[in-house]
Amino acid sequence: MKGILITLAAIPISALLWGLFTGRWTTESRRARKLQDGARVNAIMRIPVPWVFILVYLAGVTMQRVLPIAFPFSGLAWVIRATGFVFMAVGIVVAFSALGIFRKTKTTTVPHETPSTLVISGPYRFTRNPMYVGLTLEYLGVAGARLEIWPVIVLPLLLAYINFLVIPVEEQNLLGVFGDAYQKYGARVGRWL
């Protein structure tokens, strides 16, 4: 129960920090979320992706409480936990280094807003979506550190949402703004890795 309360307390703090770092609540950002090229943005796309990660994780924690699955590798628990902490650390570094580059170049992190700069340096040399890769590593790290099975079981649904709904919107925007430069970058660097 204590773990759930800590996780619930971390949600608004994490979302607030992410919103502040990304400029999510600026007047320009709010206006862009209401209308994009004269069309309303799909309501599901208005939920910040870090929130989606948190909500899906909490759904997994709830499932763990309702339909518990015993951790099958009790002898390896310390290895799984240690690996979880490593994943969390690497995920934080990857996600926030990518976010730092976006802040430095003053471009948007909101999927349906028009980007001002094509970022291809730092972790973007290895993945077109280091923030999502970093958040996924953090998610897996928390699940590993807490030895929770259900959050890992529901993770593919989250990744499908990002891969098939969120990323295509971003890619269309980037292609529309940067054309051949983005196409060449996309041919060189994978969507995830």
Side-chain angles (χ1 to χ4, degrees):
M1 185 65 170
K2 183 179 176 184
I4 291 177
L5 293 176
I6 291 170
T7 305
L8 287 174
I11 291 172
I13 294 168
S14 299
L16 178 64
L17 288 174
W18 192 268
L20 291 172
F21 283 129
T22 61
R24 181 85 179 162
W25 298 301
T26 62
T27 303
E28 182 180 321
S29 178
R30 285 194 313 264
R31 191 177 312 117
R33 281 195 299 275
K34 287 182 183 171
L35 293 174
Q36 179 71 22
D37 295 330
R40 293 200 64 74
V41 175
N42 187 328
I44 199 163
M45 291 292 295
R46 292 185 192 176
I47 302 170
V49 173
W51 272 96
V52 176
F53 271 89
I54 292 167
L55 294 171
V56 170
Y57 190 88
L58 286 176
V61 169
T62 302
M63 291 299 296
Q64 186 72 30
R65 299 287 183 241
V66 173
L67 298 169
I69 297 176
F71 190 73
F73 310 109
S74 58
L76 295 175
W78 69 272
V79 174
I80 303 288
R81 279 196 165 114
T83 303
F85 285 112
V86 170
F87 273 38
M88 278 191 279
V90 171
I92 288 168
V93 168
V94 170
F96 279 94
S97 67
L99 183 59
I101 293 171
F102 269 51
R103 299 261 311 153
K104 186 176 179 182
T105 60
K106 294 181 171 68
T107 193
T108 185
T109 59
V110 180
H112 53 270
E113 289 183 3
T114 303
S116 61
T117 306
L118 179 60
V119 177
I120 59 173
S121 62
Y124 288 91
R125 292 174 296 163
F126 309 106
T127 172
R128 294 195 316 255
N129 296 285
M131 288 184 219
Y132 300 149
V133 170
L135 288 170
T136 302
L137 289 171
E138 289 176 53
Y139 182 106
L140 286 169
V142 171
R146 295 175 42 95
L147 299 175
E148 294 175 326
I149 305 291
W150 271 106
V152 177
I153 291 172
V154 297
L155 178 61
L157 298 173
L158 169 61
L159 296 178
Y161 163 75
I162 292 170
N163 193 62
F164 298 113
L165 293 176
V166 177
I167 292 176
V169 169
E170 293 176 338
E171 289 177 340
Q172 280 302 114
N173 286 346
L174 290 164
L175 192 58
V177 173
F178 302 109
D180 287 342
Y182 180 73
Q183 210 164 22
K184 288 177 186 173
Y185 170 67
R188 194 175 72 247
V189 177
R191 179 180 270 184
W192 289 95
L193 293 174

